[in-house]
Amino acid sequence: MSEPAADGEPVEITLLTQDDCGFCDHAKQVLDRLGAEYPLQVTEIDLATEDGRRLAAQAGVLFAPGVVVAGQPFSFGRLPERKLRRALDKRFPHHHA
């Protein structure tokens, strides 16, 4: 039984990745963990693709992994799990894992 999201819509998160990127694997693990607690819709885009380069330029992502939360640049490099958790708590104030 999965409970519906407190505020309905899942948060769209875009993960910009590249090959041989240890922090990308870390970011995927963080998003997997948080995805079990919050309604997230994660899209992974390779930085080597045209879409990836364009999104990175728009979001100011200098290197992988880049994380864009609900269309807003969030981080690049090692994903700060506590910071992302705080941001999600603001979006889902009634959420309790």
Side-chain angles (χ1 to χ4, degrees):
M1 291 192 314
S2 62
E3 295 180 26
D7 296 295
E9 293 298 306
V11 175
E12 288 189 22
I13 295 183
T14 304
L15 178 62
L16 293 162
T17 62
Q18 65 187 36
D19 291 340
D20 298 322
C21 166
F23 284 151
C24 296
D25 293 336
H26 169 260
K28 290 175 197 175
Q29 291 168 4
V30 168
L31 292 171
D32 280 347
R33 271 198 301 274
L34 294 179
E37 301 174 34
Y38 300 91
L40 305 181
Q41 183 176 339
V42 179
T43 303
E44 188 176 332
I45 299 177
D46 193 317
L47 270 175
T49 64
E50 195 174 318
D51 282 349
R53 285 193 298 270
R54 186 175 63 243
L55 190 56
Q58 291 170 348
V61 170
L62 302 182
F63 49 84
V67 177
V68 178
V69 177
Q72 299 298 310
F74 183 79
S75 69
F76 59 86
R78 186 177 170 87
L79 175 60
E81 183 171 355
R82 279 188 306 230
K83 181 180 168 191
L84 182 54
R85 191 178 290 276
R86 282 196 301 270
L88 293 171
D89 281 340
K90 285 183 185 151
R91 287 183 176 274
F92 302 103
H94 307 298
H95 172 84
H96 297 289

